[in-house]
Amino acid sequence: MHTTVSTSRSSFSLTQTQQYALPVLFALFGLIMGSWAGRIPALAERVQVSHSALSMVLLCGGLGAVISYPISSFLMGRFGARKSALIAGMALLCVLVSIGMAPTVPRLMLAVLMLGITASTFDVAINSAASKREKTTGKAEMSRLHGLACAGGLVGATLGSLMASMKIAPGTHFLMLAGPLALVLWGAFSMMDADDSAEKVEKKSFSLPRGPLALLGLLGFLGSMSEGSIADWSGVFLKEHFGASDGLAPLALSAFSVMMLLSRMVGDKMKVRFGAQRLVTLGSLVSASGLFFAVMAPNAYVALAGFAVAGLGLSLLFPFVFSAAGAQGPMALAAVASMAYSGSLMGPPVIGAVAHFVGMQAAIAYVGGLSLVIAFVASRTKLLK
């Protein structure tokens, strides 16, 4: 009798700790990526890189994400999601330190390419584990997990600006982060459900989603194109169009991210009530109206509200697309993720070109137009349930 009680108690506490493993991993991923994003200006200054060369450096990150498909396929096929997350996560922390230490532009480009590969592989592993758990429990939680990644990103970026104001070099900052985060990663890995079954994998070097999955891939592509463009250009828009100060301009991205975070925390409940397809379709229309509102705004403060509305509208696209792709298996998820990352690769340079030829206002309006296309594609995507 006593043994049965203690066994049930230990299995209960195991279930409890398992519940925290994935949220910790998603928040950790956000924190790492936010820390890197927050130090981009300091890194660019350190290796004396021009704006055009910096866009080439950032392009390496997107390129790494796109070519990561064979690596994530191999790891998932060999070790399963849990061990893949540990391997990719540890590699990601090493790459982060090497970015901070890179002495020249070519070294920085190589390190950022590796960042794209390791970050994308880690992302696919944790999303695969999350969609597997959604399948097992029948409970939607992808939106909340993506919300935690968003929160981690905000913490990482804030920490980055704090370190910058204290004149701490990116290399030192990343070294200070890597040790504690490696321990957190190991702890989360140990807590995870120890189902290390390898996934069945098709042997391909690169895979584009086909059939009904192609629409999910297209949604991911357009969504990351929009998010990447807003992240890179919203502050520039406020600065150029309204003459916003250096302190005010970054608030466009903050307003966008905070609304995205708040919406994701309630997204799973809304999914149960209204369904993913309706939420993504209506959300995209909300996003379009927010971006057009920002373009027509009389001043920078009103434009901030427009970017906040856009964050609210686009917030549920990624969690629901990844959840729907993950339900089709880890390789479907990896293929959709590859397509989504190619959107983040193409978005910011395209917006830069539009801004160069027809101005910043037209560039933000173009992102609003993308939201209308997303709404149309989402309304046709049967896999969004």
Side-chain angles (χ1 to χ4, degrees), residues 127-150:
N127 274 288
S128 180
S131 63
K132 203 170 186 179
R133 195 162 89 178
E134 277 193 332
K135 242 185 194 170
T136 314
T137 60
K139 197 170 133 229
E141 53 182 333
M142 195 69 96
S143 180
R144 183 176 63 95
L145 291 170
H146 278 250
L148 289 167
C150 214

Side-chain angles (χ1 to χ4, degrees), residues 6-325:
S6 62
T7 312
S8 65
R9 193 174 294 156
S10 66
S11 68
F12 173 73
S13 64
L14 187 66
T15 318
Q16 288 294 86
T17 53
Q18 276 170 18
Q19 278 179 358
Y20 298 118
L22 276 172
V24 166
L25 288 174
F26 273 84
L28 180 82
F29 181 58
L31 181 62
I32 294 170
M33 299 316 283
S35 301
W36 138 248
R39 298 314 301 266
I40 290 172
L43 288 161
E45 201 179 307
R46 183 163 174 260
V47 293
Q48 303 286 292
V49 69
S50 66
H51 280 303
S52 55
L54 179 60
S55 64
M56 293 306 295
V57 169
L58 297 177
L59 211 58
C60 287
L63 187 63
V66 172
I67 61 173
S68 68
Y69 179 82
I71 296 162
S72 54
S73 303
F74 170 77
L75 286 174
M76 295 289 285
R78 187 78 188 271
F79 302 110
R82 177 174 173 259
K83 282 184 181 162
S84 296
L86 179 70
I87 296 164
M90 290 297 184
L92 178 58
L93 288 170
C94 294
V95 168
L96 186 70
V97 174
S98 73
I99 286 176
M101 302 291 185
T104 59
V105 177
R107 291 266 187 91
L108 184 62
M109 288 173 88
L110 180 65
V112 174
L113 179 81
M114 293 306 298
L115 178 85
I117 293 171
T118 51
S120 172
T121 306
F122 184 67
D123 197 21
V124 167
I126 59 176
N127 274 288
S128 180
S131 63
K132 203 170 186 179
R133 195 162 89 178
E134 277 193 332
K135 242 185 194 170
T136 314
T137 60
K139 197 170 133 229
E141 53 182 333
M142 195 69 96
S143 180
R144 183 176 63 95
L145 291 170
H146 278 250
L148 289 167
C150 214
L154 284 170
V155 170
T158 309
L159 191 63
S161 67
L162 183 70
M163 293 282 194
S165 66
M166 289 162 66
K167 301 281 186 286
I168 292 172
T172 316
H173 167 195
F174 295 159
L175 259 178
M176 286 160 68
L177 268 184
L181 291 187
L183 289 174
V184 171
L185 176 64
W186 178 258
F189 164 78
S190 309
M191 284 194 288
M192 265 175 96
D193 187 5
D195 174 21
D196 284 333
S197 56
E199 308 289 357
K200 288 185 174 58
V201 179
E202 297 174 60
K203 291 278 180 283
K204 281 185 189 166
S205 59
F206 179 76
S207 171
L208 278 176
R210 292 184 300 272
L213 266 183
L215 286 179
L216 280 182
L218 182 58
L219 279 178
F221 176 80
L222 294 168
S224 62
M225 203 171 180
S226 306
E227 274 191 41
S229 302
I230 291 167
D232 286 13
W233 292 102
S234 55
V236 180
F237 167 69
L238 289 194
K239 213 167 176 175
E240 283 188 12
H241 190 60
F242 299 111
S245 67
D246 281 347
L248 181 61
L251 290 182
L253 179 56
S254 303
F256 178 80
S257 304
V258 167
M259 287 307 284
M260 187 170 259
L261 165 63
L262 294 174
S263 170
R264 281 178 174 175
M265 292 327 249
V266 294
D268 297 313
K269 284 180 181 159
M270 289 168 71
K271 183 182 177 183
V272 172
R273 190 162 174 197
F274 301 109
Q277 190 177 18
R278 191 188 297 177
L279 287 170
V280 174
T281 307
L282 292 175
S284 310
L285 294 173
V286 168
S287 162
S289 62
L291 289 164
F292 293 140
F293 182 75
V295 168
M296 307 307 291
N299 60 47
Y301 294 100
V302 177
L304 280 180
F307 285 115
V309 169
L312 179 70
L314 282 176
S315 59
L316 300 178
L317 187 145
F318 266 112
F320 294 168
V321 163
F322 274 39
S323 179

